[in-house]
Amino acid sequence: MKQRLGDDTVQSCPVHIRAFFIGGAADAVKFKALRFAPRVFGPTHIMGYVKNESDARLRDIVANHDYQSYYHGYEDFHPEDREDVFTPDAQIGTVVESRIPTRDTAVYVIGHSLGATNGVHVVLHLLRKGFNVVMLVTLDPVSGINLYRVYEARTPQHSGPFEWINISARSDLKDGSDGVAGAGAPWDLSGASSVDVNVLRNLHHGEARRMFFEGTPSPFERMSDSIAEYIRTTCRK
């Protein structure tokens, strides 16, 4: 199959691209907070909406290519019975690896809140296994009461030819989502050498859509440009 991008004739298409959108607590399913005074939240489907809007905006760019995206909640990577272990490798294999057709497939991971924390571990796992992770986007990552000790006192490091974009939300006027994030121990990645783009936004923790789609350039624009460039360089004759 041949396709034309501008003045260049390209071949060897379609290319394989996978995007994983990971929500935090109460995103994909209901979440019971406060063990001694239970209260149920969600589901909000925040990252589900972000995924759907991203797919719609990417439609023309990925037309005729093998682009597939997936929406998960953080609980898909941190089962209730594994509080002592952060995202078992076998579970990443079941949830993520099985959906990546080749080692050359371009992989994008976008996570919010606890899902952003999961996203870091997913990316590190995939890099160790030799997958082509192109971009990680973390939207106001928090660790959670049971997860924070895994990364306590150290910034997660990454290696490999990919870009890590982090957006931290610190609103002047707090809302309920900011309170939940505060209880979940927000990450402070200021000055972290492992993060390629680190932006602090005056937004509420729950405003993942604005974190992803707003800004100059926004994380979505960086992802969109990256996918277009990947298609162009992979398919060029």
Side-chain angles (χ1 to χ4, degrees):
M1 172 183 172
K2 289 189 177 181
Q3 205 177 350
R4 186 169 294 276
L5 293 176
D7 294 329
D8 297 326
T9 300
V10 297
Q11 60 183 5
S12 303
C13 292
V15 297
H16 303 293
I17 304 164
R18 296 294 183 269
F20 297 90
F21 293 80
I22 309 172
D27 196 314
V29 299
K30 292 180 180 179
F31 178 76
K32 182 183 289 186
L34 303 178
R35 181 175 301 176
F36 301 107
R39 180 179 176 186
V40 176
F41 298 89
T44 62
H45 302 300
I46 291 172
M47 289 303 287
Y49 295 128
V50 170
K51 170 199 170 299
N52 292 341
E53 184 172 346
S54 178
D55 289 350
R57 294 191 185 197
L58 289 171
R59 186 172 294 121
D60 290 341
I61 294 174
V62 300
N64 302 316
H65 296 283
D66 177 28
Y67 169 83
Q68 295 184 41
S69 63
Y70 303 94
Y71 165 48
H72 293 283
Y74 95 99
E75 62 282 337
D76 290 340
F77 299 93
H78 183 75
E80 292 294 329
D81 60 348
R82 293 296 295 265
E83 290 188 356
D84 60 321
V85 178
F86 187 79
T87 316
D89 286 351
Q91 190 160 358
I92 296 177
T94 300
V95 177
V96 176
E97 279 189 55
S98 61
R99 290 170 166 169
I100 304 174
T102 69
R103 288 291 196 276
D104 293 330
T105 298
V107 177
Y108 296 78
V109 177
I110 304 95
H112 171 237
S113 190
L114 285 172
T117 306
N118 289 128
V120 172
H121 197 168
V122 167
V123 164
L124 293 176
H125 169 90
L126 292 176
L127 288 174
R128 288 197 303 268
K129 298 294 286 288
F131 286 93
N132 180 29
V133 183
V134 178
M135 183 174 292
L136 166 66
V137 178
T138 51
L139 305 175
D140 206 24
V142 303
S143 296
I145 296 172
N146 294 323
L147 301 179
Y148 181 63
R149 65 179 180 273
V150 178
Y151 289 113
E152 189 172 15
R154 65 187 177 93
T155 299
Q157 298 296 309
H158 75 63
S159 61
F162 79 99
E163 185 175 39
W164 181 355
I165 300 170
N166 179 70
I167 307 294
S168 295
R170 302 292 184 269
S171 177
D172 294 335
L173 299 175
K174 306 299 182 183
D175 70 358
S177 69
D178 299 317
V180 172
W187 285 10
D188 181 4
L189 295 176
S190 58
S193 60
S194 56
V195 180
D196 301 293
V197 178
N198 195 18
V199 179
L200 178 65
R201 298 284 310 280
N202 185 14
L203 294 172
H204 296 299
H205 176 72
E207 294 183 290
R209 181 195 174 278
R210 293 187 63 187
M211 294 181 217
F212 189 58
F213 290 108
E214 295 183 4
T216 307
S218 68
F220 170 78
E221 288 172 331
R222 289 180 178 273
M223 175 180 169
S224 176
D225 290 346
S226 173
I227 290 175
E229 180 63 20
Y230 178 74
I231 291 172
R232 185 177 298 112
T233 56
T234 302
C235 295
R236 181 175 290 115
K237 183 176 180 179

